[in-house]
Amino acid sequence: MLARTNRVQNAAEVPLFITADYEWGVGTPSTSFTELPGAMAYGAAGDPMYAELGGAVTAMEARAMGVNVLFAPTADVNNNPRNPIINTRSYGEDPQRVGELAGAFVRGAQAHGAFATLKHFPGHGSAPGDTHDRLLDITDCHTERELELFCERLSRRDASASLALMTAHLLHRSIDPDRPASLSPSWTGMIRDRFAFDGVIVTDALDMGAVAKRYTPIEAVLGATRAGADLLL
């Protein structure tokens, strides 16, 4: 992989963002890279040092593969036991603790040469399903305080502030009754104006069922662009 990433970087007129999820680190049983635990294990350990170390190891090994942007960490709060997709990807059910551990991962990653991305705004942990399959309405299960805490983690100006924020295909009717956060100027305006986040806004994957079942590819791309997304996944 490193040969391929070096080849495209060398061919580019400007430096490229090369991205990967790597929520669990780079390692798998078939590689020599480090196999790291899921986020919930860091939450169970209860010490931000481990999350920061996980971010550092992930960044160093990602850079060894030519990857310079991590679509990690997951900053969702695991507050709905029926959610089928976040669960162990979350640091836990306490919003403030999740913020502390997510910030530690970001510090570790960005201190070792990889940019981090907090996801999935405005918070997927309360959702009653999986946006890989369908659009989800979180109006009745997503509290204002949860949103505030998520955004507080995004707007800090200290060394733990992430480069990027990933928006989710989640509908909240009180903010935008028609469009998910990933395609909504209302949500982007809140991110920029209310919470003063000036990093990169990246969408979740636009070929996921939540978008692909409701919009054509052209509609999805134009919608995300008009909403103010900087990077389309």
Side-chain angles (χ1 to χ4, degrees):
M1 179 173 172
L2 180 59
R4 293 195 297 272
T5 54
N6 282 342
R7 187 164 58 249
V8 297
Q9 284 286 18
N10 291 334
E13 294 183 3
V14 295
L16 300 176
F17 285 156
I18 298 181
T19 69
D21 275 344
Y22 290 158
E23 292 179 30
W24 300 271
V26 179
T28 66
S30 62
T31 72
S32 59
F33 291 106
T34 309
E35 292 185 61
L36 296 175
M40 190 171 285
Y42 295 108
D47 189 335
M49 176 192 69
Y50 294 117
E52 185 169 347
L53 181 61
V57 171
T58 301
M60 288 186 285
E61 296 189 346
R63 290 303 305 272
M65 299 284 280
V67 172
N68 53 20
V69 177
L70 309 176
F71 287 150
T74 297
D76 299 304
V77 178
N78 190 41
N79 56 2
N80 181 356
R82 295 181 180 275
N83 185 291
I85 192 62
I86 299 302
N87 45 67
T88 59
R89 298 167 66 192
S90 168
Y91 291 105
E93 62 185 14
D94 181 340
Q96 292 180 320
R97 190 63 170 164
V98 169
E100 183 180 13
L101 294 171
F105 182 97
V106 170
R107 282 196 303 274
Q110 297 194 165
H112 290 83
F115 293 116
T117 306
L118 290 173
K119 61 184 186 183
H120 307 81
F121 181 85
H124 205 308
S126 62
D130 182 357
T131 49
H132 289 88
D133 298 325
R134 69 185 191 279
L135 181 67
L136 298 174
D137 187 337
I138 60 170
T139 305
D140 297 327
C141 56
H142 193 289
T143 67
E144 178 71 11
R145 182 56 182 156
E146 182 180 356
L147 175 61
E148 292 279 355
L149 286 168
F150 199 119
C151 292
E152 285 170 11
R153 300 197 287 276
L154 305 178
S155 60
R156 287 178 296 175
R157 287 294 180 272
D158 59 18
S160 68
S162 68
L163 166 84
L165 159 67
M166 180 181 288
T167 53
H169 310 314
L170 298 169
L171 184 71
H172 197 300
R173 295 189 304 275
S174 68
I175 307 298
D176 189 326
D178 302 313
R179 289 162 294 195
S182 53
L183 306 181
S184 171
S186 298
W187 280 107
T188 303
M190 176 183 291
I191 294 166
R192 295 297 191 204
D193 300 332
R194 182 175 172 186
F195 298 106
F197 180 74
D198 59 3
V200 174
I201 296 177
V202 54
T203 71
D204 208 343
L206 295 175
D207 59 354
M208 292 166 63
V211 171
K213 291 179 179 179
R214 297 171 63 92
Y215 303 93
T216 68
I218 291 176
E219 289 172 337
V221 167
L222 291 178
T225 302
R226 289 167 177 162
D230 302 299
L231 187 62
L232 310 186
L233 175 57

